[in-house]
């Protein structure tokens, strides 16, 4: 379902498109209920001055100033704001992908071309691939103007809305000036090598949501809730170097186990092969002895 429609504009080229959500949460929707009678708990919007519920059509937006004054804004006020990108995704520039820190990315959307926009859409996608660049754009979604990054993903163009620079908080620097020893750095590198792999997102599962679904199903059917098989790691304070060494050893154990299994398998195959060859070898020796005797 399209949540926005408009056009991508770069230079004098205009590409009519529709915007659809590229992601969706798989979390099960839990609500609040009254434990005594299973009644759903709802939230009323109540005015804090007269303590009375307020109808939605009586509610307006507003802003509280530092001197505690409230400035009310109605729909007409907000409609008149000068937002140039209300129906246009305006390309500002094309930048190398590696120059955008992932911390800026917020939400992801697919851009789908209109019937008349197929050719320029494909042209932009292929040009971005060939030039190895990402388009930095401005877009207004739900009356909020955002900076966004537009990039190719397979056959589609994906738009990632971004945080503005002043919305990125600085990290707390406490403890970031600690020194590490060369041996610790080498051991950490060894552990990273032992755990190195290609990224295959389909190999990861949300164990919590799966367990939650099992719990709901069990309670719905009147069965006892299944117990979690996952053990919580025990908190243990040990030397950093020891922790790294133990981690490396743990990663090596499965590899050694696999190697031993492979060796046993090979040995079994070899033994079977030898067993099959033994009767033939015995028969050959017997035939040779018989020939020598007759000679």
């Amino acid at each position: 379902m399209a949540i926005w429609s408009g056009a991508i504009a770069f230079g004098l080229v205009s590409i009519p498109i529709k915007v659809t959500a590229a992601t969706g949460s798989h979390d099960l929707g839990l609500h609040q209920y009254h434990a005594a009678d299973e009644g759903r708990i709802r939230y009323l919007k109540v005015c804090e001055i007269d303590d009375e519920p307020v109808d939605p059509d009586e509610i307006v937006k507003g802003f509280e100033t530092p001197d505690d004054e409230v400035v009310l804004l109605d729909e007409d006020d907000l409609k008149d704001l000068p937002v140039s990108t209300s129906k246009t995704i305006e390309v500002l520039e094309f930048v190398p992908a590696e120059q955008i820190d992932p911390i800026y990315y917020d939400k992801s959307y697919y851009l789908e071309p209109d019937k008349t926009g197929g050719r320029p859409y494909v042209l932009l996608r292929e040009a971005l691939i060939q030039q190895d660049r990402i388009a930095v754009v401005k877009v207004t979604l739900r009356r909020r103007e955002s900076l966004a990054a537009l990039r190719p993903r397979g056959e589609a163009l994906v738009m990632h809305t971004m945080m503005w620079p002043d919305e990125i908080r600085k990290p707390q620097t406490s403890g970031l000036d600690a020194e590490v020893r060369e041996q610790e750095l080498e051991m950490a590198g060894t552990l990273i090598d032992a755990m190195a792999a290609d990224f295959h997102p389909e190999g990861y599962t949300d164990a919590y949501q799966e367990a939650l679904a099992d719990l709901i199903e069990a309670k719905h059917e009147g069965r006892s809730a299944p117990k979690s098989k996952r053990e919580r790691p025990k908190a243990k304070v040990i030397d950093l170097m020891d922790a790294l060494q133990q981690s490396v050893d743990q990663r090596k154990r499965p590899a050694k186990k696999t190697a031993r299994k492979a060796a046993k398998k090979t040995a079994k195959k070899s033994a079977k092969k030898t067993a099959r060859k033994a009767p033939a070898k015995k028969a050959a020796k017997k035939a040779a002895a018989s020939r020598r005797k007759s000679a």
Side-chain angles (χ1 to χ4, degrees), residues 33-207:
Y33 293 88
H34 186 195
D37 57 14
E38 297 184 357
R40 176 81 179 270
I41 303 299
R42 305 280 182 178
Y43 291 96
L44 292 175
K45 294 187 176 181
V46 178
C47 175
E48 63 180 24
I49 294 176
D50 57 22
D51 204 30
E52 291 290 327
V54 181
D55 290 332
D57 57 0
E58 293 180 15
I59 298 173
V60 296
K61 290 183 170 65
F63 178 79
E64 190 171 341
T65 65
D67 56 355
D68 298 330
E69 289 288 327
V70 175
V71 179
L72 298 179
L73 303 168
D74 60 25
E75 289 298 310
D76 291 333
D77 294 327
L78 297 170
K79 207 178 287 182
D80 292 337
L81 289 175
V83 182
S84 62
T85 55
S86 59
K87 279 293 174 184
T88 305
I89 296 175
E90 180 189 351
V91 176
L92 305 175
E93 54 193 2
F94 297 96
V95 302
E98 65 273 10
Q99 289 184 2
I100 300 179
D101 189 327
I103 198 172
Y104 281 95
Y105 291 143
D106 186 15
K107 293 181 179 176
S108 302
Y109 301 90
Y110 286 126
L111 305 185
E112 300 176 3
D114 204 345
K115 289 178 181 177
T116 59
R119 194 159 169 266
Y121 182 95
V122 172
L123 174 65
L124 177 58
R125 184 194 68 200
E126 293 304 306
L128 287 172
I129 294 170
Q130 193 177 82
Q131 297 293 322
D132 195 22
R133 297 219 166 216
I134 283 179
V136 175
V137 304
K138 262 189 184 182
V139 61
T140 299
L141 296 175
R142 300 184 181 94
R143 287 189 178 168
R144 185 179 187 272
E145 187 174 63
S146 298
L147 200 62
L150 196 156
R151 68 176 183 86
R153 184 178 189 269
E155 294 185 344
L157 287 172
V158 178
M159 182 177 69
H160 305 280
T161 52
M162 297 165 66
M163 311 295 288
W164 293 99
D166 62 345
E167 294 177 315
I168 305 296
R169 295 177 179 173
K170 289 185 178 179
Q172 298 298 316
T173 55
S174 175
L176 297 182
D177 55 351
E179 291 184 7
V180 295
R181 291 180 293 170
E182 188 63 34
Q183 300 97 310
E184 292 170 342
L185 196 57
E186 286 179 11
M187 188 59 71
T190 303
L191 178 57
I192 290 170
D193 286 340
M195 297 176 71
D198 292 324
F199 181 56
H200 298 291
E202 64 278 0
Y204 303 99
T205 56
D206 189 339

Side-chain angles (χ1 to χ4, degrees), residues 216-237:
I216 291 170
E217 186 182 352
K219 297 207 78 173
H220 179 62
E221 294 174 356
R223 295 185 284 110
S224 57
K227 289 184 180 179
S228 174
K229 294 178 183 177
R230 183 183 291 183
E231 292 182 10
R232 293 188 179 183
K234 294 176 183 177
K236 224 176 181 182
V237 180

